mmCIF file of all heavy atoms in Angstrom:
data_model
loop_
_atom_site.group_PDB
_atom_site.id
_atom_site.type_symbol
_atom_site.label_atom_id
_atom_site.label_comp_id
_atom_site.label_asym_id
_atom_site.label_seq_id
_atom_site.Cartn_x
_atom_site.Cartn_y
_atom_site.Cartn_z
ATOM 1 N N PHE A 504 12.423 44.186 1.096
ATOM 2 C CA PHE A 504 11.849 44.684 -0.156
ATOM 3 C C PHE A 504 11.775 43.530 -1.149
ATOM 4 O O PHE A 504 12.755 42.797 -1.355
ATOM 5 C CB PHE A 504 12.698 45.801 -0.761
ATOM 6 C CG PHE A 504 12.168 46.278 -2.094
ATOM 7 C CD1 PHE A 504 11.215 47.291 -2.141
ATOM 8 C CD2 PHE A 504 12.587 45.700 -3.284
ATOM 9 C CE1 PHE A 504 10.704 47.728 -3.363
ATOM 10 C CE2 PHE A 504 12.079 46.125 -4.508
ATOM 11 C CZ PHE A 504 11.136 47.147 -4.543
ATOM 12 N N HIS A 506 9.446 42.753 -4.979
ATOM 13 C CA HIS A 506 8.416 43.146 -5.935
ATOM 14 C C HIS A 506 8.242 41.978 -6.909
ATOM 15 O O HIS A 506 9.202 41.535 -7.540
ATOM 16 C CB HIS A 506 8.859 44.407 -6.688
ATOM 17 C CG HIS A 506 7.888 44.851 -7.746
ATOM 18 N ND1 HIS A 506 6.840 45.693 -7.468
ATOM 19 C CD2 HIS A 506 7.809 44.568 -9.069
ATOM 20 C CE1 HIS A 506 6.157 45.921 -8.587
ATOM 21 N NE2 HIS A 506 6.741 45.241 -9.573
ATOM 22 N N VAL A 508 5.482 39.923 -9.884
ATOM 23 C CA VAL A 508 4.306 39.950 -10.758
ATOM 24 C C VAL A 508 4.003 38.503 -11.138
ATOM 25 O O VAL A 508 4.878 37.799 -11.661
ATOM 26 C CB VAL A 508 4.537 40.794 -12.021
ATOM 27 C CG1 VAL A 508 3.265 40.827 -12.867
ATOM 28 C CG2 VAL A 508 4.976 42.201 -11.651
ATOM 29 N N ALA A 523 9.341 33.297 -15.847
ATOM 30 C CA ALA A 523 9.520 33.864 -17.187
ATOM 31 C C ALA A 523 10.247 35.208 -17.100
ATOM 32 O O ALA A 523 10.188 36.026 -18.022
ATOM 33 C CB ALA A 523 8.156 34.031 -17.861
ATOM 34 N N VAL A 524 10.933 35.444 -15.991
ATOM 35 C CA VAL A 524 11.643 36.706 -15.779
ATOM 36 C C VAL A 524 12.883 36.740 -16.678
ATOM 37 O O VAL A 524 13.638 35.765 -16.754
ATOM 38 C CB VAL A 524 12.056 36.856 -14.302
ATOM 39 C CG1 VAL A 524 12.851 38.134 -14.104
ATOM 40 C CG2 VAL A 524 10.829 36.845 -13.413
ATOM 41 N N VAL A 525 13.089 37.848 -17.351
ATOM 42 C CA VAL A 525 14.254 37.992 -18.238
ATOM 43 C C VAL A 525 15.153 39.111 -17.718
ATOM 44 O O VAL A 525 14.740 39.954 -16.919
ATOM 45 C CB VAL A 525 13.809 38.298 -19.686
ATOM 46 C CG1 VAL A 525 13.047 37.125 -20.271
ATOM 47 C CG2 VAL A 525 12.960 39.569 -19.740
ATOM 48 N N GLY A 526 16.370 39.085 -18.162
ATOM 49 C CA GLY A 526 17.299 40.158 -17.822
ATOM 50 C C GLY A 526 17.803 40.118 -16.402
ATOM 51 O O GLY A 526 18.373 41.109 -15.921
ATOM 52 N N GLY A 527 17.589 39.030 -15.699
ATOM 53 C CA GLY A 527 18.088 38.907 -14.331
ATOM 54 C C GLY A 527 17.436 39.848 -13.350
ATOM 55 O O GLY A 527 18.024 40.187 -12.313
ATOM 56 N N ARG A 528 16.189 40.258 -13.655
ATOM 57 C CA ARG A 528 15.523 41.210 -12.761
ATOM 58 C C ARG A 528 15.230 40.585 -11.386
ATOM 59 O O ARG A 528 15.115 41.306 -10.402
ATOM 60 C CB ARG A 528 14.225 41.716 -13.407
ATOM 61 C CG ARG A 528 14.489 42.622 -14.621
ATOM 62 C CD ARG A 528 13.189 43.051 -15.294
ATOM 63 N NE ARG A 528 12.302 43.777 -14.394
ATOM 64 C CZ ARG A 528 12.411 45.082 -14.109
ATOM 65 N NH1 ARG A 528 13.400 45.785 -14.641
ATOM 66 N NH2 ARG A 528 11.547 45.669 -13.304
ATOM 67 N N VAL A 529 15.072 39.276 -11.366
ATOM 68 C CA VAL A 529 14.930 38.560 -10.087
ATOM 69 C C VAL A 529 15.971 37.438 -10.088
ATOM 70 O O VAL A 529 15.871 36.509 -10.878
ATOM 71 C CB VAL A 529 13.516 37.967 -9.908
ATOM 72 C CG1 VAL A 529 13.420 37.226 -8.570
ATOM 73 C CG2 VAL A 529 12.458 39.060 -9.989
ATOM 74 N N PRO A 530 16.991 37.502 -9.218
ATOM 75 C CA PRO A 530 18.020 36.453 -9.182
ATOM 76 C C PRO A 530 17.417 35.077 -8.887
ATOM 77 O O PRO A 530 16.349 34.967 -8.276
ATOM 78 C CB PRO A 530 18.941 36.904 -8.041
ATOM 79 C CG PRO A 530 18.700 38.366 -7.906
ATOM 80 C CD PRO A 530 17.270 38.594 -8.272
ATOM 81 N N GLN A 531 18.122 34.017 -9.310
ATOM 82 C CA GLN A 531 17.598 32.661 -9.209
ATOM 83 C C GLN A 531 17.267 32.259 -7.769
ATOM 84 O O GLN A 531 16.271 31.587 -7.513
ATOM 85 C CB GLN A 531 18.608 31.662 -9.797
ATOM 86 C CG GLN A 531 18.070 30.248 -9.972
ATOM 87 C CD GLN A 531 16.835 30.205 -10.869
ATOM 88 O OE1 GLN A 531 16.756 30.898 -11.866
ATOM 89 N NE2 GLN A 531 15.849 29.399 -10.479
ATOM 90 N N TYR A 533 16.198 34.125 -5.446
ATOM 91 C CA TYR A 533 14.943 34.764 -5.066
ATOM 92 C C TYR A 533 13.755 34.111 -5.779
ATOM 93 O O TYR A 533 12.641 34.086 -5.248
ATOM 94 C CB TYR A 533 14.983 36.258 -5.363
ATOM 95 C CG TYR A 533 15.986 37.034 -4.519
ATOM 96 C CD1 TYR A 533 16.374 38.331 -4.864
ATOM 97 C CD2 TYR A 533 16.536 36.470 -3.370
ATOM 98 C CE1 TYR A 533 17.292 39.047 -4.091
ATOM 99 C CE2 TYR A 533 17.449 37.168 -2.591
ATOM 100 C CZ TYR A 533 17.827 38.450 -2.960
ATOM 101 O OH TYR A 533 18.733 39.143 -2.188
ATOM 102 N N VAL A 534 13.985 33.589 -6.979
ATOM 103 C CA VAL A 534 12.927 32.856 -7.693
ATOM 104 C C VAL A 534 12.514 31.634 -6.877
ATOM 105 O O VAL A 534 11.328 31.338 -6.709
ATOM 106 C CB VAL A 534 13.398 32.441 -9.107
ATOM 107 C CG1 VAL A 534 12.380 31.489 -9.755
ATOM 108 C CG2 VAL A 534 13.588 33.670 -9.990
ATOM 109 N N LEU A 562 5.990 33.383 -12.617
ATOM 110 C CA LEU A 562 6.586 34.658 -12.203
ATOM 111 C C LEU A 562 7.033 35.384 -13.458
ATOM 112 O O LEU A 562 7.951 34.933 -14.162
ATOM 113 C CB LEU A 562 7.778 34.400 -11.276
ATOM 114 C CG LEU A 562 8.549 35.618 -10.777
ATOM 115 C CD1 LEU A 562 7.673 36.503 -9.906
ATOM 116 C CD2 LEU A 562 9.805 35.186 -10.021
ATOM 117 N N THR A 563 6.360 36.498 -13.787
ATOM 118 C CA THR A 563 6.627 37.172 -15.062
ATOM 119 C C THR A 563 7.552 38.377 -14.936
ATOM 120 O O THR A 563 8.202 38.767 -15.904
ATOM 121 C CB THR A 563 5.300 37.638 -15.706
ATOM 122 O OG1 THR A 563 4.637 38.523 -14.795
ATOM 123 C CG2 THR A 563 4.413 36.442 -16.013
ATOM 124 N N ASP A 564 7.616 38.956 -13.742
ATOM 125 C CA ASP A 564 8.461 40.139 -13.588
ATOM 126 C C ASP A 564 8.689 40.365 -12.097
ATOM 127 O O ASP A 564 8.076 39.733 -11.246
ATOM 128 C CB ASP A 564 7.790 41.366 -14.219
ATOM 129 C CG ASP A 564 8.800 42.489 -14.506
ATOM 130 O OD1 ASP A 564 10.015 42.269 -14.262
ATOM 131 O OD2 ASP A 564 8.379 43.570 -14.952
ATOM 132 N N GLY A 565 9.592 41.281 -11.795
ATOM 133 C CA GLY A 565 9.877 41.600 -10.410
ATOM 134 C C GLY A 565 10.962 42.646 -10.320
ATOM 135 O O GLY A 565 11.512 43.100 -11.332
ATOM 136 N N ALA A 566 11.269 43.017 -9.107
ATOM 137 C CA ALA A 566 12.326 44.004 -8.890
ATOM 138 C C ALA A 566 12.946 43.752 -7.526
ATOM 139 O O ALA A 566 12.307 43.205 -6.623
ATOM 140 C CB ALA A 566 11.756 45.423 -8.976
ATOM 141 N N THR A 567 14.205 44.160 -7.392
ATOM 142 C CA THR A 567 14.933 43.957 -6.129
ATOM 143 C C THR A 567 15.498 45.286 -5.644
ATOM 144 O O THR A 567 15.560 46.267 -6.389
ATOM 145 C CB THR A 567 16.080 42.954 -6.319
ATOM 146 O OG1 THR A 567 17.009 43.498 -7.265
ATOM 147 C CG2 THR A 567 15.574 41.610 -6.802
ATOM 148 N N HIS A 568 15.904 45.301 -4.383
ATOM 149 C CA HIS A 568 16.592 46.447 -3.790
ATOM 150 C C HIS A 568 17.994 45.992 -3.427
ATOM 151 O O HIS A 568 18.186 44.882 -2.911
ATOM 152 C CB HIS A 568 15.834 46.934 -2.552
ATOM 153 C CG HIS A 568 16.391 48.202 -1.962
ATOM 154 N ND1 HIS A 568 17.473 48.211 -1.093
ATOM 155 C CD2 HIS A 568 16.019 49.502 -2.125
ATOM 156 C CE1 HIS A 568 17.738 49.454 -0.749
ATOM 157 N NE2 HIS A 568 16.860 50.271 -1.363
ATOM 158 N N SER A 572 16.563 43.601 -0.223
ATOM 159 C CA SER A 572 15.994 42.354 -0.750
ATOM 160 C C SER A 572 16.682 41.152 -0.112
ATOM 161 O O SER A 572 17.890 41.179 0.155
ATOM 162 C CB SER A 572 16.148 42.290 -2.277
ATOM 163 O OG SER A 572 15.274 43.211 -2.882
ATOM 164 N N PHE A 577 11.302 37.796 -0.394
ATOM 165 C CA PHE A 577 10.659 37.277 -1.608
ATOM 166 C C PHE A 577 9.732 36.103 -1.287
ATOM 167 O O PHE A 577 8.730 35.892 -1.966
ATOM 168 C CB PHE A 577 11.710 36.896 -2.652
ATOM 169 C CG PHE A 577 12.088 38.052 -3.539
ATOM 170 C CD1 PHE A 577 13.121 38.911 -3.190
ATOM 171 C CD2 PHE A 577 11.382 38.315 -4.696
ATOM 172 C CE1 PHE A 577 13.458 39.993 -3.992
ATOM 173 C CE2 PHE A 577 11.699 39.391 -5.514
ATOM 174 C CZ PHE A 577 12.750 40.238 -5.158
#
Side-chain angles (χ1 to χ4, degrees):
F504 177 88
H506 177 88
V508 182
V524 177
V525 295
R528 291 177 59 82
V529 180
Q531 190 58 40
Y533 294 165
V534 171
L562 178 64
T563 59
D564 199 3
T567 62
H568 186 277
S572 289
F577 272 89

